[in-house]
Amino acid sequence: MWTQVLYNFIAMNKDEKSKQIAYLTDKISNASIFYLADTSDLNADEASKLRRRCFKGDVSLEVVKNTLVKKALESIEGKDMSPFYDLLKGQTSLMISEKGNEPAKIIKEFRKKGEKPVLKGAFVEEAIFIGDDQIETLAALKSKEELIGDVITLLQSPAKNIISALNSGGSTIAGLVKTLGER
């Protein structure tokens, strides 16, 4: 399966390569989160399981040709993607997600059974992570929704404490105000 995909990339003519570069440029420039991973050495069954898991986690997974990805990264305006250039060796898969930690979680999950996939690098909300040693950091990242939930919880906590204190001691405060009013 993987060799067929790579063969299709090698057999492209110049026009097809230009279209593929434009496609990758559009896809990467519109993504706020993408990962580059090495998925070589996965057999057909493992590759299918990885694709299903990515689909389930709303992660787009594509095997890409390094030279085309490099040209796509070079053509993205306003972002310095040069740290990724040296990573584009061997087989590369592009993982695009809406959640910053989902591809890392998928990679970690698959690594329980083998050595692959290996993280080459990631771009998460303007931050660049290079190397497989960053997988734990990326897996621990919280999504926007989780961060918003944490902020709301923090903001609600003091108000809940005040309301709780007033409710529990309401009769004491009311009794104190009534006593002071009578004097």
Side-chain angles (χ1 to χ4, degrees), residues 63-100:
V63 177
V64 292
K65 189 166 181 358
N66 291 325
T67 54
L68 300 180
V69 172
K70 183 176 181 186
K71 289 182 185 215
L73 290 170
E74 289 172 339
S75 65
I76 294 174
E77 295 180 18
K79 296 178 185 174
D80 179 22
M81 298 294 186
S82 60
F84 292 112
Y85 300 165
D86 292 336
L87 306 176
L88 297 172
K89 295 178 180 119
Q91 189 181 48
T92 303
S93 292
L94 176 66
M95 301 173 85
I96 296 180
S97 175
E98 293 294 319
K99 295 180 181 176

Side-chain angles (χ1 to χ4, degrees), residues 125-154:
E125 303 285 344
E126 305 298 323
I128 294 176
F129 299 85
I130 302 295
D132 193 56
D133 59 334
Q134 298 293 316
I135 199 75
E136 292 296 329
T137 303
L138 288 163
L141 286 177
K142 291 189 175 189
S143 68
K144 283 182 183 178
E145 292 80 15
E146 291 171 324
L147 289 173
I148 290 169
D150 288 351
V151 169
I152 290 171
T153 301
L154 288 172

Side-chain angles (χ1 to χ4, degrees), residues 14-123:
K14 192 172 185 174
D15 186 47
E16 290 170 327
K17 287 180 182 179
S18 295
K19 288 178 184 175
Q20 186 68 23
I21 291 168
Y23 166 77
L24 288 171
T25 302
D26 183 55
K27 194 162 185 156
I28 293 170
S29 63
N30 289 326
S32 58
I33 299 157
F34 71 85
Y35 284 52
L36 298 174
D38 178 1
T39 55
S40 63
D41 300 332
L42 292 179
N43 61 36
D45 184 49
E46 293 168 330
S48 292
K49 287 178 182 175
L50 178 62
R51 287 187 179 279
R52 279 193 296 276
R53 177 60 182 91
C54 286
F55 181 78
K56 182 180 170 187
D58 245 0
V59 176
S60 164
L61 174 71
E62 293 182 49
V63 177
V64 292
K65 189 166 181 358
N66 291 325
T67 54
L68 300 180
V69 172
K70 183 176 181 186
K71 289 182 185 215
L73 290 170
E74 289 172 339
S75 65
I76 294 174
E77 295 180 18
K79 296 178 185 174
D80 179 22
M81 298 294 186
S82 60
F84 292 112
Y85 300 165
D86 292 336
L87 306 176
L88 297 172
K89 295 178 180 119
Q91 189 181 48
T92 303
S93 292
L94 176 66
M95 301 173 85
I96 296 180
S97 175
E98 293 294 319
K99 295 180 181 176
N101 61 0
E102 189 65 26
K105 288 179 179 179
I106 292 170
I107 291 171
K108 272 185 68 175
E109 178 183 317
F110 263 80
R111 294 255 292 272
K112 290 178 184 175
K113 299 174 185 168
E115 296 178 12
K116 299 282 178 147
V118 174
L119 176 68
K120 292 183 175 188
F123 180 83

Side-chain angles (χ1 to χ4, degrees), residues 153-182:
T153 301
L154 288 172
L155 291 173
Q156 287 178 340
S157 181
K160 284 183 181 177
N161 290 342
I162 291 169
I163 291 169
S164 175
L166 290 173
N167 284 338
S168 66
S171 60
T172 312
I173 294 173
L176 180 61
V177 171
K178 185 177 179 184
T179 305
L180 289 174
E182 291 175 355

